[in-house]
Short mmCIF file of all heavy atoms in Angstrom, two decimals:
data_model
loop_
_atom_site.label_atom_id
_atom_site.label_comp_id
_atom_site.label_asym_id
_atom_site.label_seq_id
_atom_site.Cartn_x
_atom_site.Cartn_y
_atom_site.Cartn_z
N LYS A 21 22.72 131.77 90.69
CA LYS A 21 22.56 130.81 91.77
C LYS A 21 22.54 129.39 91.20
O LYS A 21 22.13 129.15 90.09
CB LYS A 21 21.26 131.09 92.54
CG LYS A 21 21.25 132.43 93.25
CD LYS A 21 19.94 132.61 94.00
CE LYS A 21 19.92 133.95 94.74
NZ LYS A 21 18.64 134.15 95.47
N GLU A 22 23.00 128.44 92.03
CA GLU A 22 23.00 127.05 91.60
C GLU A 22 21.60 126.58 91.25
O GLU A 22 21.42 125.67 90.45
CB GLU A 22 23.59 126.17 92.72
CG GLU A 22 25.06 126.45 93.00
CD GLU A 22 25.97 126.08 91.85
OE1 GLU A 22 25.58 125.20 91.06
OE2 GLU A 22 27.04 126.68 91.73
N ASP A 23 20.57 127.22 91.86
CA ASP A 23 19.19 126.81 91.58
C ASP A 23 18.84 126.94 90.11
O ASP A 23 17.97 126.25 89.60
CB ASP A 23 18.22 127.66 92.41
CG ASP A 23 18.33 127.36 93.90
OD1 ASP A 23 18.94 126.32 94.24
OD2 ASP A 23 17.82 128.14 94.71
N ASP A 24 19.53 127.85 89.40
CA ASP A 24 19.24 128.07 87.98
C ASP A 24 19.55 126.83 87.14
O ASP A 24 19.07 126.71 86.02
CB ASP A 24 20.05 129.26 87.45
CG ASP A 24 19.65 130.56 88.13
OD1 ASP A 24 18.55 130.60 88.72
OD2 ASP A 24 20.43 131.52 88.07
N LEU A 25 20.38 125.94 87.67
CA LEU A 25 20.78 124.75 86.92
C LEU A 25 20.16 123.48 87.49
O LEU A 25 20.53 122.37 87.10
CB LEU A 25 22.31 124.61 86.95
CG LEU A 25 23.10 125.75 86.29
CD1 LEU A 25 24.59 125.53 86.47
CD2 LEU A 25 22.75 125.91 84.83
N ASN A 26 19.21 123.65 88.39
CA ASN A 26 18.62 122.50 89.06
C ASN A 26 17.90 121.55 88.10
O ASN A 26 17.77 120.37 88.37
CB ASN A 26 17.64 122.95 90.16
CG ASN A 26 18.37 123.21 91.48
OD1 ASN A 26 19.55 122.93 91.61
ND2 ASN A 26 17.67 123.78 92.44
N ASP A 27 17.39 122.09 86.99
CA ASP A 27 16.66 121.23 86.06
C ASP A 27 17.58 120.57 85.05
O ASP A 27 17.13 119.86 84.15
CB ASP A 27 15.57 122.03 85.34
CG ASP A 27 16.15 123.11 84.46
OD1 ASP A 27 17.28 123.57 84.74
OD2 ASP A 27 15.50 123.50 83.47
N ILE A 28 18.90 120.78 85.19
CA ILE A 28 19.87 120.14 84.30
C ILE A 28 20.83 119.34 85.16
O ILE A 28 21.51 119.89 86.02
CB ILE A 28 20.66 121.17 83.48
CG1 ILE A 28 19.73 122.11 82.72
CG2 ILE A 28 21.60 120.46 82.51
CD1 ILE A 28 20.45 123.19 81.95
N SER A 29 20.90 118.04 84.96
CA SER A 29 21.80 117.21 85.74
C SER A 29 23.21 117.27 85.16
O SER A 29 23.40 117.49 83.96
CB SER A 29 21.31 115.77 85.77
OG SER A 29 21.30 115.21 84.46
N GLY A 30 24.19 117.09 86.02
CA GLY A 30 25.57 117.12 85.56
C GLY A 30 26.35 118.26 86.19
O GLY A 30 25.80 119.13 86.85
N ASN A 31 27.65 118.25 85.97
CA ASN A 31 28.56 119.25 86.55
C ASN A 31 29.10 120.17 85.46
O ASN A 31 29.77 119.72 84.54
CB ASN A 31 29.72 118.53 87.25
CG ASN A 31 30.75 119.49 87.78
OD1 ASN A 31 30.44 120.63 88.13
ND2 ASN A 31 31.99 119.04 87.84
N PRO A 32 28.83 121.49 85.55
CA PRO A 32 29.32 122.40 84.52
C PRO A 32 30.79 122.79 84.68
O PRO A 32 31.38 123.36 83.77
CB PRO A 32 28.42 123.64 84.71
CG PRO A 32 28.12 123.64 86.17
CD PRO A 32 28.00 122.18 86.55
N TYR A 33 31.39 122.48 85.82
CA TYR A 33 32.72 122.99 86.13
C TYR A 33 33.84 122.05 85.69
O TYR A 33 33.72 120.82 85.77
CB TYR A 33 32.85 123.28 87.62
CG TYR A 33 31.79 124.24 88.11
CD1 TYR A 33 30.82 123.84 89.01
CD2 TYR A 33 31.75 125.56 87.63
CE1 TYR A 33 29.84 124.72 89.44
CE2 TYR A 33 30.77 126.44 88.05
CZ TYR A 33 29.82 126.02 88.95
OH TYR A 33 28.83 126.88 89.36
N LEU A 34 34.92 122.64 85.26
CA LEU A 34 36.09 121.85 84.85
C LEU A 34 36.64 121.07 86.03
O LEU A 34 36.98 119.89 85.92
CB LEU A 34 37.16 122.79 84.28
CG LEU A 34 38.44 122.13 83.80
CD1 LEU A 34 38.17 121.22 82.61
CD2 LEU A 34 39.49 123.18 83.43
N LEU A 35 36.72 121.73 87.18
CA LEU A 35 37.18 121.12 88.42
C LEU A 35 36.15 121.40 89.51
O LEU A 35 35.56 122.47 89.55
CB LEU A 35 38.55 121.67 88.83
CG LEU A 35 39.68 121.47 87.83
CD1 LEU A 35 40.91 122.25 88.26
CD2 LEU A 35 40.02 119.99 87.68
N LYS A 36 35.98 120.45 90.39
CA LYS A 36 34.95 120.57 91.42
C LYS A 36 35.26 121.68 92.42
O LYS A 36 34.37 122.44 92.81
CB LYS A 36 34.81 119.23 92.16
CG LYS A 36 33.80 119.25 93.28
CD LYS A 36 33.74 117.90 93.99
CE LYS A 36 32.78 117.93 95.16
NZ LYS A 36 32.75 116.62 95.87
N ASP A 37 36.51 121.79 92.83
CA ASP A 37 36.88 122.72 93.90
C ASP A 37 37.47 124.02 93.36
O ASP A 37 38.00 124.06 92.24
CB ASP A 37 37.89 122.06 94.83
CG ASP A 37 37.34 120.81 95.49
OD1 ASP A 37 36.15 120.83 95.89
OD2 ASP A 37 38.09 119.82 95.60
N TRP A 38 37.39 125.05 94.17
CA TRP A 38 38.06 126.31 93.85
C TRP A 38 39.56 126.10 93.91
O TRP A 38 40.07 125.35 94.75
CB TRP A 38 37.66 127.40 94.84
CG TRP A 38 36.24 127.86 94.71
CD1 TRP A 38 35.16 127.40 95.41
CD2 TRP A 38 35.75 128.87 93.83
NE1 TRP A 38 34.02 128.06 95.01
CE2 TRP A 38 34.35 128.98 94.04
CE3 TRP A 38 36.35 129.69 92.87
CZ2 TRP A 38 33.56 129.87 93.34
CZ3 TRP A 38 35.55 130.59 92.17
CH2 TRP A 38 34.18 130.66 92.40
N CYS A 39 40.30 126.76 93.01
CA CYS A 39 41.75 126.60 92.94
C CYS A 39 42.46 127.94 93.16
O CYS A 39 41.92 129.00 92.84
CB CYS A 39 42.16 126.08 91.55
SG CYS A 39 41.47 124.50 91.10
N GLU A 40 43.66 127.84 93.66
CA GLU A 40 44.53 129.00 93.64
C GLU A 40 44.81 129.33 92.18
O GLU A 40 44.77 128.45 91.31
CB GLU A 40 45.85 128.72 94.36
CG GLU A 40 45.70 128.34 95.83
CD GLU A 40 45.20 129.50 96.67
OE1 GLU A 40 45.37 130.67 96.26
OE2 GLU A 40 44.62 129.24 97.75
N GLY A 41 45.10 130.60 91.90
CA GLY A 41 45.35 130.94 90.51
C GLY A 41 45.91 132.33 90.32
O GLY A 41 46.03 133.11 91.27
N VAL A 42 46.25 132.61 89.08
CA VAL A 42 46.75 133.92 88.67
C VAL A 42 45.91 134.41 87.50
O VAL A 42 45.62 133.64 86.58
CB VAL A 42 48.23 133.84 88.23
CG1 VAL A 42 48.71 135.18 87.68
CG2 VAL A 42 49.11 133.41 89.41
N VAL A 43 45.50 135.67 87.55
CA VAL A 43 44.69 136.26 86.48
C VAL A 43 45.46 137.41 85.88
O VAL A 43 45.96 138.29 86.59
CB VAL A 43 43.33 136.76 87.02
CG1 VAL A 43 42.50 137.37 85.89
CG2 VAL A 43 42.56 135.62 87.67
N ARG A 44 45.55 137.41 84.55
CA ARG A 44 46.24 138.49 83.84
C ARG A 44 45.22 139.25 83.01
O ARG A 44 44.49 138.66 82.22
CB ARG A 44 47.35 137.94 82.96
CG ARG A 44 48.42 137.19 83.73
CD ARG A 44 49.58 136.74 82.85
NE ARG A 44 50.59 136.03 83.62
CZ ARG A 44 50.64 134.71 83.76
NH1 ARG A 44 49.74 133.95 83.13
NH2 ARG A 44 51.57 134.14 84.50
N PHE A 45 45.18 140.57 83.20
CA PHE A 45 44.21 141.42 82.52
C PHE A 45 44.81 142.05 81.27
O PHE A 45 46.04 142.10 81.10
CB PHE A 45 43.70 142.50 83.47
CG PHE A 45 42.92 141.95 84.64
CD1 PHE A 45 43.58 141.60 85.81
CD2 PHE A 45 41.55 141.75 84.56
CE1 PHE A 45 42.87 141.09 86.89
CE2 PHE A 45 40.84 141.23 85.63
CZ PHE A 45 41.51 140.90 86.80
N THR A 46 43.94 142.52 80.39
CA THR A 46 44.40 143.14 79.14
C THR A 46 45.23 144.39 79.40
O THR A 46 46.03 144.80 78.56
CB THR A 46 43.20 143.51 78.25
OG1 THR A 46 42.27 144.30 79.00
CG2 THR A 46 42.49 142.25 77.75
N SER A 47 45.07 144.99 80.57
CA SER A 47 45.84 146.18 80.94
C SER A 47 47.28 145.85 81.29
O SER A 47 48.12 146.74 81.42
CB SER A 47 45.18 146.88 82.13
OG SER A 47 45.22 146.04 83.27
N GLY A 48 47.54 144.55 81.47
CA GLY A 48 48.87 144.11 81.88
C GLY A 48 48.94 143.80 83.36
O GLY A 48 49.95 143.25 83.84
N ARG A 49 47.88 144.12 84.10
CA ARG A 49 47.84 143.87 85.54
C ARG A 49 47.71 142.37 85.82
O ARG A 49 46.97 141.67 85.13
CB ARG A 49 46.65 144.60 86.17
CG ARG A 49 46.64 144.60 87.69
CD ARG A 49 47.55 145.68 88.23
NE ARG A 49 47.59 145.66 89.69
CZ ARG A 49 48.20 146.58 90.41
NH1 ARG A 49 48.82 147.58 89.82
NH2 ARG A 49 48.21 146.51 91.72
N THR A 50 48.44 141.89 86.81
CA THR A 50 48.38 140.49 87.22
C THR A 50 48.00 140.41 88.69
O THR A 50 48.57 141.13 89.51
CB THR A 50 49.73 139.79 87.00
OG1 THR A 50 50.07 139.84 85.61
CG2 THR A 50 49.68 138.34 87.44
N VAL A 51 47.04 139.55 89.03
CA VAL A 51 46.62 139.39 90.42
C VAL A 51 46.57 137.90 90.78
O VAL A 51 46.35 137.06 89.92
CB VAL A 51 45.23 140.03 90.68
CG1 VAL A 51 45.27 141.53 90.45
CG2 VAL A 51 44.16 139.39 89.81
N ASN A 52 46.78 137.61 92.04
CA ASN A 52 46.72 136.22 92.51
C ASN A 52 45.94 136.11 93.81
O ASN A 52 46.08 135.13 94.54
CB ASN A 52 48.13 135.65 92.69
CG ASN A 52 48.96 136.45 93.68
OD1 ASN A 52 48.47 137.36 94.35
ND2 ASN A 52 50.24 136.11 93.79
N GLN A 53 45.11 137.10 94.10
CA GLN A 53 44.34 137.12 95.35
C GLN A 53 43.05 136.32 95.28
O GLN A 53 42.38 136.13 96.28
CB GLN A 53 43.99 138.57 95.75
CG GLN A 53 45.19 139.44 96.06
CD GLN A 53 45.72 140.16 94.83
OE1 GLN A 53 45.32 139.85 93.71
NE2 GLN A 53 46.60 141.12 95.04
N PHE A 54 42.68 135.86 94.08
CA PHE A 54 41.39 135.21 93.89
C PHE A 54 41.51 133.70 93.82
O PHE A 54 42.51 133.17 93.32
CB PHE A 54 40.72 135.71 92.60
CG PHE A 54 40.46 137.19 92.58
CD1 PHE A 54 41.37 138.07 92.05
CD2 PHE A 54 39.27 137.69 93.09
CE1 PHE A 54 41.12 139.43 92.03
CE2 PHE A 54 39.01 139.05 93.08
CZ PHE A 54 39.94 139.92 92.54
N LYS A 55 40.48 132.99 94.29
CA LYS A 55 40.31 131.58 93.99
C LYS A 55 39.55 131.49 92.67
O LYS A 55 38.69 132.34 92.38
CB LYS A 55 39.50 130.89 95.10
CG LYS A 55 40.19 130.86 96.46
CD LYS A 55 41.35 129.88 96.45
CE LYS A 55 41.95 129.73 97.85
NZ LYS A 55 41.03 129.07 98.79
N LEU A 56 39.86 130.47 91.87
CA LEU A 56 39.30 130.40 90.52
C LEU A 56 38.54 129.09 90.28
O LEU A 56 38.86 128.04 90.84
CB LEU A 56 40.42 130.51 89.48
CG LEU A 56 41.34 131.72 89.57
CD1 LEU A 56 42.38 131.66 88.45
CD2 LEU A 56 40.58 133.03 89.52
#
Side-chain angles (χ1 to χ4, degrees):
K21 296 181 179 180
E22 295 294 334
D23 292 345
D24 296 342
L25 298 176
N26 274 352
D27 64 334
I28 306 177
S29 63
N31 175 29
Y33 304 114
L34 180 65
L35 301 171
K36 178 181 177 182
D37 299 319
W38 290 94
C39 300
E40 300 293 337
V42 174
V43 180
R44 300 184 179 95
F45 295 90
T46 53
S47 64
R49 190 81 182 187
T50 299
V51 297
N52 59 7
Q53 296 90 348
F54 299 93
K55 295 288 186 68
L56 306 180

